[in-house]
Amino acid sequence: MLQHGKPQYADDRRLEMTAYMGPRRAGKRKFNEEYGNPRDPEAGFPEFWTDEVFEAYKAAGLTFLIPEGDAFYGTRVAENGVVGEENFEKSDLYRFLKIAEKHGLPVYPSQAELMYVMARRDTEMTEDEKKMIADMVATLKKHFPNTVKGLLLTDEPMMKHRVGLESCTKYIQELAPEWDIFISMLPIYGTAEMFGADMNDPQFKDREVTLKMKEAEYQKYVAAYGGLLHEFSFDYYAHNCDAGPETLSPTFFRNLELAAEGGKKGGFPMSATLQAFRMDRGYDPDTGKGQPVFRETTYEDVRWQVYSALAFGARRLGYFTFWQHYNESQYEVFPTAMVVYDEAEEAGWRKTGIYYDVKKVNEQVHACDHVFLRFDWKGCRTVVKSNDENIRLVEGGCTAGSLGDVTATRDTLIGCFENPEDGRDGYWLVNAHNPYFYEWSTVEATFADADRVVYYRAGKEYDRPLENGVFRIRLGAGEGVFVIPYKE
């Protein structure tokens, strides 16, 4: 709804952000499920849980930590790999939590059996398992009541895991109702049976599974897990290069749209984990060569992902990955990420260009998140100028609010929002053209009865008059701006 007067909002909220593979444990990485990686030094690596590393994580705009296999509850790294450790104060997680507490970073720990077994099966927890989890929760609450804010339960569960996952979730919620439970769900480029499809059903028998058929199953998956966890979070890595370095995975926008629509219908927020790495497959340890399958992201790639996710109403963001993965195989290795091992550096590690790209975009977002987080997602619209499937698969069609005609020289994504507190309209305008091509887009948006707009660009606020209700702006590759029209 169009309102009179410039909007004024207190800086009292923050978009939460995390990254997988955070500050790195000591020892060796796994390769093909064996402890010891041919790409690592023979003696393994030292522990990188230092003030400098934790501050680098925090300085990138990341607001909570997921230690996962770097510090599972009840384990420590020994000379020949990860072993059990019953004394919590001698465990790796205890030391990890100590330094996280020092730097004011909340932590979402996990436990290996919970993550890989209990939450990923079709049976409920046993009484012995409940006792083990109850002991873990009680210990974490006792030692770190102000640092442990939630739990990483598992990763990318299929629909067939629903019974085990629901059993674990409800039990943990009974023990620690104040804790958040975080799970990154499957993206839509999984197979239909992962989302619960009965492949013996006549609709699938002897037929090719179309995208529309898969979408129907994915919507059930979103509704089921979003309703259980009070959030639907998923990961999606859009910048693949199977068909060349310019390739975009075709369903990134549609996946965001399906998750956003499911959340709107079910009353839960949507969030996404985005790409900040390069991954190769077909790695040969003898030749040291692999074939890139996900390309190294640029600044334009990062902001294209982030602003697109925000245009669909994402309420928190994750990145994969802060540090190179501790598990590799011939199928997948991670040559670079936000932070990499580097024995040429005195510290043994260094920040890459991806780190600075993510940091820069996160700073922009945190500078205005207190504004756009007040607004609820109503839907989206598109301006389609290319043959790219990403933009063409979006159904869009939102007509809510004061936004009228929109023209653009390149593909454009428009996220439509309304602030329930004051009734104002808000809009994300995103240059949705494939960022690989570094193309600018001139966008013109008409707002009925408005004579001014406040907009946020690269974290800065601007207040500008409109000419006959028209807002004009040139957006760089992947750039997004949040616009609030008003009448003076």
Side-chain angles (χ1 to χ4, degrees), residues 339-356:
V339 169
V340 296
Y341 297 106
D342 192 338
E343 295 167 72
E345 297 287 329
E346 186 174 342
W349 63 280
R350 64 178 168 82
K351 305 167 189 172
T352 70
I354 302 173
Y355 173 90
Y356 293 103

Side-chain angles (χ1 to χ4, degrees), residues 1-9 375 402-403 422-427 447-456 461-466 469-471 483-488:
M1 182 187 302
L2 192 68
Q3 299 286 349
H4 285 72
K6 179 182 175 181
Q8 301 284 345
Y9 300 120
F375 288 73
S402 56
L403 181 64
D422 60 16
R424 292 183 187 269
D425 301 331
Y427 301 92
F447 296 102
D449 299 323
D451 53 25
R452 296 190 73 87
V453 294
V454 169
Y455 68 97
Y456 298 85
E461 181 184 283
Y462 299 87
D463 186 3
R464 297 285 187 267
L466 301 180
V470 178
F471 173 62
V483 184
I484 305 173
Y486 72 96
K487 195 169 184 65
E488 197 170 15

Side-chain angles (χ1 to χ4, degrees), residues 34-96:
E34 296 292 329
Y35 187 70
N37 189 315
R39 303 202 309 129
D40 295 348
E42 187 175 345
F45 291 104
E47 186 173 280
F48 291 100
W49 296 344
T50 65
D51 290 334
E52 187 180 10
V53 172
F54 275 72
E55 277 303 307
Y57 185 94
K58 190 173 182 179
L62 304 170
T63 63
F64 67 98
L65 288 154
I66 301 177
E68 198 177 328
D70 274 311
F72 276 134
Y73 179 84
T75 66
R76 62 179 174 85
V77 174
E79 184 176 348
N80 295 316
V82 178
V83 298
E85 177 52 73
E86 294 184 2
N87 186 335
F88 179 57
E89 293 186 26
K90 292 182 179 180
S91 71
D92 290 344
L93 180 58
Y94 182 84
R95 289 199 319 284
F96 187 97

